[in-house]
């Protein structure tokens, strides 16, 4: 991140009370921004994410020829290119955003230009071979530096492929679907662990046809998308970000007399296993005002905790993949549970915006917790009281926010160093935390 380092002091709290509306979902904002940029006509998006990452996607779409207008109240209007991208005058800067780099690679690869994609230090450490492989099979020539960004894409016509995803990754799936939309023939993709399906809903919302068939077992599914389809602008409201809500849902678990209401939160079933986890840990959740728009569910979530307190659980397999972004905050509150939390099969955490297993371990240790670190997760016993400490966010937004939540029930104050990283997905986080905390 380029902004200067800031520190936030988090004082212990007694409970959380109140109601907030969450800014738009990061994953959906990226996809709407990209598809609006390639569609014909002007798309109007209300409640667009306020996080820096989706704004990196918007800036890239502008560089490719879309017109982006910022209106009041988090509304963005995007006049699309009608399927013809221009040669950008400068490298496409993806900032800290893996979603921008990976998904956009699929969208631009079929266009007859040479594209360079760059990012910040953290993004330059993240694996990119995972998109070169399928896009390369489709005929795209992609240069990486030792498997990483900067990426150079020598774009041109692509051929459809039949691809089996080796790792559960919605970003890779999206890159293939976005390229398949513009390829010759029908592209198919099989995934054995169901990842978030915002791209499928977004593509349909913008007018594309794609099919999903379940072949063997409940989770293995084949998606097919015919090439040569054109997209048309939409009007949409982006649902509130459930991954941002996760910090407050976990905070609610820490105090018996908490009562929180989170309005307009995205409830897409491929993201909502988090709510089952919160319930299994002892949270009591009520969902009201459920609505569906463009295939995405939203609802108002009311949360408090059962008087029996906070239980523990094992998280592994498909569940670990489905709540991958929420694992840092679950790990940060794990010491306060009665039975502890075990997280396994989560090796992907090591290649996110930081090595999240190592940074969670470092910060849990600083707060006085004992636990075992594994290559693919952490085993964190319960019944531990943490103390205030100096926390290193490692410039990772989810680490900064996760340990701000752990700090609410610690003894003494906690200093979150690198707190500005929260703005990558949730710039309003510290203001909401302060407003909701009763001390
Ligand atoms: C995302 C998918 C996940 C997630 C990331 C956002 C998306 O990554 O961790 O924060 O919007 O598709 P992977 O698809 O690489 O697992």
């Amino acid at each position: 991140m380029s902004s200067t380092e800031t520190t936030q002091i988090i004082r212990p709290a007694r409970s959380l009370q109140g109601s907030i509306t969450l800014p738009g979902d990061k994953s959906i904002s990226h996809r709407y921004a990209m598809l609006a940029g390639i569609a014909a006509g002007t798309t109007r998006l209300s409640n667009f994410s306020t996080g820096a990452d989706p704004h990196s996607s918007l800036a890239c779409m502008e560089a490719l020829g879309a017109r982006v207008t910022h209106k009041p109240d988090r509304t963005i209007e995007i006049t699309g290119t009608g399927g013809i991208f221009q040669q950008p005058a400068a490298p496409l800067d993806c900032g800290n955003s893996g979603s921008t780099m990976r998904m956009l690679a699929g969208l631009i690869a079929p266009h007859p230009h040479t594209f360079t994609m760059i990012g910040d230090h953290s993004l330059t450490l993240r694996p990119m071979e995972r998109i070169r492989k399928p896009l390369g099979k489709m005929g795209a020539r992609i240069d990486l530096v030792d498997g990483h960004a900067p990426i150079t894409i020598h774009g041109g016509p692509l051929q459809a492929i039949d691809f089996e995803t080796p790792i559960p990754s919605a970003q890779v799936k999206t890159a293939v679907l976005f390229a398949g939309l513009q390829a010759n023939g029908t592209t198919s993709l099989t995934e054995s662990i169901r990842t978030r399906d915002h791209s499928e809903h977004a593509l349909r919302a913008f007018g594309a046809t794609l099919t999903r068939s379940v072949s063997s077992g409940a989770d293995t599914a084949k998606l097919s998308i015919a090439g040569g389809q054109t997209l048309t602008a939409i009007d949409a409201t982006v649902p509130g970000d459930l991954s941002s809500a996760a910090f407050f849902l976990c905070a609610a678990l820490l105090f018996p007399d908490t009562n929180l209401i989170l309005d307009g939160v995205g409830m897409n079933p491929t993201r909502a296993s988090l709510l089952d986890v919160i319930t299994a840990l002892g949270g009591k959740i009520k969902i009201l005002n459920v609505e569906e728009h463009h295939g995405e569910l939203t609802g108002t979530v009311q949360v408090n905790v059962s008087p029996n307190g906070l239980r523990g659980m094992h998280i592994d397999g498909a569940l670990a993949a489905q709540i991958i972004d929420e694992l840092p905050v679950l790990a940060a509150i794990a010491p306060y549970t009665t039975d502890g939390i075990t997280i396994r099969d989560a090796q992907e955490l090591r290649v996110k915006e930081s090595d999240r297993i190592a940074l969670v371990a470092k910060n849990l240790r600083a707060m006085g917790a004992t636990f075992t670190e594994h290559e693919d997760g952490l085993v964190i016993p319960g019944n531990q009281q943490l103390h205030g400490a100096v926390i290193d966010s490692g410039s990772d937004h989810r680490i900064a926010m996760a340990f701000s939540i752990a700090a609410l029930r610690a003894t003494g104050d906690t200093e979150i160093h690198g707190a500005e990283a929260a703005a990558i997905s949730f710039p309003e986080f510290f203001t909401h935390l302060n407003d909701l905390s009763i001390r």
Side-chain angles (χ1 to χ4, degrees):
M1 285 190 66
S2 55
S3 52
T4 42
E5 268 226 6
T6 62
T7 297
Q8 289 277 346
I9 311 288
I10 310 292
R11 288 184 292 126
R14 281 188 290 121
S15 76
L16 276 90
Q17 303 284 344
S19 149
I20 57 170
T21 303
L22 290 144
D25 184 83
K26 179 161 90 68
S27 291
I28 298 174
S29 295
H30 280 299
R31 287 156 171 86
Y32 283 177
M34 289 183 199
L35 296 183
I38 199 167
T42 298
T43 288
R44 189 179 156 83
L45 303 173
S46 312
N47 200 37
F48 193 81
S49 167
T50 50
D53 269 9
H55 287 265
S56 293
S57 287
L58 280 177
C60 289
M61 298 320 297
E62 268 186 306
L64 291 163
R67 206 170 69 239
V68 176
T69 317
H70 295 252
K71 301 276 186 187
D73 296 333
R74 303 171 176 174
T75 297
I76 307 278
E77 281 183 3
I78 304 164
T79 302
T81 57
I84 314 278
F85 287 150
Q86 68 187 24
Q87 169 74 53
L92 296 166
D93 189 351
C94 305
N96 189 243
S97 174
S99 300
T100 304
M101 190 168 268
R102 296 194 181 116
M103 303 197 295
L104 192 58
L107 198 70
I108 60 181
H111 295 256
H113 303 299
T114 300
F115 303 97
T116 306
M117 303 176 95
I118 58 170
D120 70 4
H121 176 67
S122 142
L123 187 50
T124 306
L125 300 175
R126 299 183 65 186
M128 292 297 149
E129 195 59 54
R130 54 183 67 187
I131 50 144
R132 173 160 66 176
K133 229 174 180 169
L135 297 177
K137 271 179 79 182
M138 296 178 90
R141 201 151 60 76
I142 298 182
D143 302 331
L144 304 177
V145 180
D146 214 8
H148 301 103
I151 304 182
T152 306
I153 300 179
H154 309 275
L158 300 186
Q159 296 303 321
I161 53 165
D162 212 334
F163 184 63
E164 202 158 314
T165 53
I167 39 164
S169 166
Q171 295 175 353
V172 174
K173 171 174 70 176
T174 302
V176 173
L177 291 177
F178 284 2
L181 176 76
Q182 306 168 76
N184 297 314
T186 295
T187 294
S188 295
L189 177 139
T190 306
E191 61 175 5
S192 53
I193 289 181
R194 190 166 191 191
T195 61
R196 60 189 74 190
D197 64 359
H198 303 302
S199 298
E200 294 89 311
H201 289 302
L203 280 162
R204 289 193 184 103
F206 279 89
T209 301
L210 71 160
T211 58
R212 177 175 188 272
S213 57
V214 178
S215 41
S216 67
D219 282 330
T220 298
K222 186 171 185 164
L223 291 165
S224 298
I225 185 161
Q229 303 192 59
T230 53
L231 303 184
T232 313
I234 60 167
D235 260 15
T237 299
V238 180
D241 197 321
L242 182 60
S243 296
S244 297
F247 298 102
F248 294 107
L249 294 173
C250 286
L253 296 178
L254 301 179
F255 306 103
D257 60 345
T258 282
N259 193 13
L260 279 187
I261 296 177
L262 310 173
D263 279 327
V265 183
M267 295 274 125
N268 179 315
T270 60
R271 297 278 292 283
S273 357
L274 171 69
L275 299 177
D276 300 333
V277 169
I278 297 290
T279 306
L281 288 172
K284 291 201 296 181
I285 286 183
K286 268 193 210 147
I287 300 171
L288 312 160
N289 309 327
V290 176
E291 291 182 22
E292 193 219 295
H293 299 283
H294 295 306
E296 295 287 353
L297 292 176
T298 57
T300 295
V301 182
Q302 183 184 11
V303 62
N304 51 33
V305 67
S306 91
N308 304 333
L310 189 49
R311 296 187 290 271
M313 70 181 295
H314 281 246
I315 299 168
D316 55 14
L319 179 61
Q322 277 151 4
I323 58 167
I324 194 86
D325 291 342
E326 289 75 65
L327 294 177
V329 65
L330 289 164
I333 63 161
Y336 301 124
T337 61
T338 48
D339 308 322
I341 296 183
T342 293
I343 297 170
R344 301 305 298 262
D345 301 327
Q347 52 273 41
E348 272 291 303
L349 280 179
R350 294 208 179 266
V351 290
K352 291 293 180 187
E353 287 82 329
S354 66
D355 177 340
R356 286 184 171 158
I357 294 176
L359 262 181
V360 164
K362 176 180 174 178
N363 290 314
L364 277 177
R365 207 172 290 122
M367 296 185 84
T370 55
F371 56 87
T372 313
E373 179 179 344
H374 295 270
E375 191 45 38
D376 68 344
L378 295 150
V379 178
I380 307 164
N383 285 319
Q384 305 190 60
Q385 176 55 47
L386 303 184
H387 57 71
V390 170
I391 296 300
D392 172 16
S393 80
S395 299
D396 183 328
H397 54 132
R398 298 204 199 278
I399 299 292
M401 294 187 277
F403 282 88
S404 301
I405 300 305
L408 295 175
R409 232 185 82 175
T411 318
D413 293 353
T414 295
E415 283 182 34
I416 311 286
H417 287 203
E420 76 291 341
I424 285 295
S425 59
F426 196 4
E428 306 81 355
F429 171 76
F430 289 106
T431 307
H432 285 321
L433 188 63
N434 199 39
D435 291 349
L436 295 172
S437 300
I438 308 290
R439 298 201 152 90

